[in-house]
Amino acid sequence: MNNIYFIINPQAKNGYCQKVWSQLEKILMEQKISYMAFFTEYSGHAEEISQTIAAKAEGNRATIIAVGGDGTLHEVLNGAALFSNVQVAFIPCGSGNDFSRGFGIPKKPSQALFSLLKELDQHNPLFVDTGKIVTKDNKDIYFINNMGAGFDALISREVNRSRIKRLLNRFSLGKFVYVYFLLKNMFTYKPVSMDIKIDGRKYSFDSAWFVTVSNQPFYGGGMKISPDASPFDGLLNITVVHDLSRIKLLFVSITVFWGGHTKFKEVTALTGRSIKIHSSGALFAHADGEDIGYTPLEVSACHKALPVILDGNLKEEEVNMNDFY
Ligand SMILES: Nc1ncnc2c1ncn2[C@@H]1O[C@H](COP(=O)(O)OP(=O)(O)OP(=O)(O)O)[C@@H](O)[C@H]1O
């Protein structure tokens, strides 16, 4: 028995997701699909709902479909991460949607639903890697796209709290909100020294702007921060941006949209399975764009830990080819 549950964030992309759900409901009725739908009412609610569904399934197979942005999927993942009977899926209705870019999910929610229903019928889920963060207070947080600490986390924190995001979303320009906050903060942010231990080997940076740990290439609404990252290889891809003047940071930031930043000597790209991040002062940190507190943090790769309903024909090497999403 495979029970289907939708968890919908009606507020994603300024309420666009609520409208999308009305269209999806019609498709589900036409296709005579039986399901249950839950709407989130506050931040963190999707995680609670997902955990309750997973626990109540009592070992029976359950499919939890996140309908919203990357933040909703992040919460669904964190609620279900410890339940091996649960597979997850995603219908993108957020402002950034980096997960759907990196995993070849159709951009249009109705198409994503049709493709999902077909896959549910015809294929088994694909097992993808996730990342696990252990915070200073010993809390486990999972991510599917990426995590980061430093300047990028400050930006995602401000984006999450901003009204400008809502305004830009209204004109379908939501992804430019990151550019706005990058410009706003780049002249005042103070880079710090950072020690990063990767699989036992220590790397020190005197003046680091940020570190990002990626499971797939895209971040921040389509920037190709880690062009070589694959969610199937058991490795996490670490990008450290360091020793850059403010003006050069701006220049390098532009090149992130096509992955050109990796050619700069101030951008260090590494891979590993176990990563410890220490900084000279506590830095803001995010996971999948959601605030998670501060450094120090420990991060590890969980190889093929999460069953996800994806295009069964998706080739592992194709996940970062979705350039013109
Ligand atoms: N009913 C709600 N009211 C307010 N906030 C909510 C509600 N439900 C969920 N949230 C929070 O909204 C935040 C953003 O959600 P989500 O990421 O799904 O959408 P988005 O920001 O539009 O998309 P993206 O992350 O792709 O840019 C999350 O932190 C989530 O916890």
Side-chain angles (χ1 to χ4, degrees):
M1 192 167 62
N2 181 10
N3 294 312
I4 300 176
Y5 303 90
F6 288 86
I7 300 181
I8 304 123
N9 174 358
Q11 296 298 326
K13 204 173 175 185
N14 287 4
Y16 164 74
C17 198
Q18 175 78 65
K19 290 185 196 139
V20 166
W21 176 248
S22 313
Q23 298 163 10
L24 301 182
E25 256 184 326
K26 278 192 200 130
I27 297 172
L28 290 163
M29 274 180 52
E30 281 162 17
Q31 305 270 325
K32 299 190 173 51
I33 306 290
S34 73
Y35 65 91
M36 287 178 81
F38 300 88
F39 294 87
T40 59
E41 288 167 17
Y42 47 86
S43 193
H45 197 189
E47 181 172 343
E48 292 168 17
I49 300 170
S50 162
Q51 191 169 19
T52 306
I53 292 169
K56 286 202 166 161
E58 292 180 334
N60 291 315
R61 197 155 157 211
T63 302
I64 306 183
I65 303 163
V67 184
D70 289 313
T72 305
L73 178 66
H74 173 82
E75 291 188 11
V76 166
L77 160 67
N78 276 278
L82 300 179
F83 295 87
S84 57
N85 55 313
V86 174
Q87 54 188 21
V88 304
F90 183 55
I91 299 196
C93 307
S95 39
N97 301 322
D98 285 323
F99 179 81
S100 45
R101 268 171 240 274
F103 289 79
I105 294 174
K107 184 179 181 183
K108 217 171 151 201
S110 56
Q111 273 175 20
L113 178 61
F114 280 123
S115 148
L116 174 56
L117 294 173
K118 193 175 123 219
E119 293 306 324
L120 267 173
D121 204 33
Q122 295 179 359
H123 292 110
N124 287 324
L126 292 180
F127 282 77
V128 304
D129 302 343
T130 57
K132 178 177 154 184
I133 303 164
V134 181
T135 65
K136 208 166 64 170
D137 330 319
N138 268 329
K139 190 176 169 216
D140 293 348
I141 300 167
Y142 293 86
F143 63 94
I144 188 139
N145 291 325
N146 49 62
M147 65 78 59
F151 186 59
D152 71 329
L154 170 71
I155 291 174
S156 84
R157 186 182 163 87
E158 294 208 353
V159 166
N160 289 343
R161 291 163 189 224
S162 81
R163 290 194 176 166
I164 293 170
K165 182 176 181 178
R166 274 176 242 155
L167 185 72
L168 288 173
N169 271 340
R170 211 170 289 160
F171 301 102
S172 297
L173 296 171
K175 62 183 175 182
F176 292 106
V177 73
Y178 291 90
V179 178
Y180 170 81
F181 280 103
L182 185 138
L183 292 171
K184 178 176 168 277
N185 287 296
M186 66 177 290
F187 293 102
T188 49
Y189 187 80
K190 288 191 176 60
V192 298
S193 69
M194 218 183 255
D195 284 336
I196 301 175
K197 212 180 218 183
I198 303 173
D199 297 335
R201 184 166 171 197
K202 189 167 150 187
Y203 300 82
S204 295
F205 302 91
D206 289 338
S207 175
W209 282 84
F210 64 89
V211 55
T212 300
V213 180
S214 303
N215 188 37
Q216 57 98 346
F218 298 98
Y219 120 128
M223 291 187 262
K224 215 169 182 184
I225 185 78
S226 191
D228 298 328
S230 159
F232 300 106
D233 62 2
L235 290 172
L236 291 168
N237 293 54
I238 302 110
T239 311
V240 190
V241 175
H242 55 95
D243 299 294
L244 265 180
S245 69
R246 293 174 200 278
I247 292 301
K248 197 162 178 190
L249 175 74
L250 181 60
F251 185 62
V252 170
S253 301
I254 294 166
T255 69
V256 181
F257 280 98
W258 63 90
H261 61 296
T262 53
K263 301 217 163 42
F264 290 87
K265 68 178 188 316
E266 297 90 346
V267 178
T268 299
L270 301 156
T271 55
R273 293 183 170 83
S274 161
I275 302 121
K276 293 181 181 170
I277 304 169
H278 284 263
S279 47
S280 51
L283 292 176
F284 287 127
H286 77 86
D288 293 332
E290 301 293 303
D291 304 342
I292 56 159
Y294 305 89
T295 54
L297 297 164
E298 294 191 14
V299 186
S300 55
C302 309
H303 189 35
K304 301 208 168 175
L306 185 72
V308 185
I309 309 295
L310 292 170
D311 180 351
N313 300 316
L314 183 74
K315 303 263 184 324
E316 297 194 355
E317 63 276 14
E318 280 175 3
V319 289
N320 60 0
M321 301 296 282
N322 207 358
D323 271 354
F324 302 103
Y325 190 83

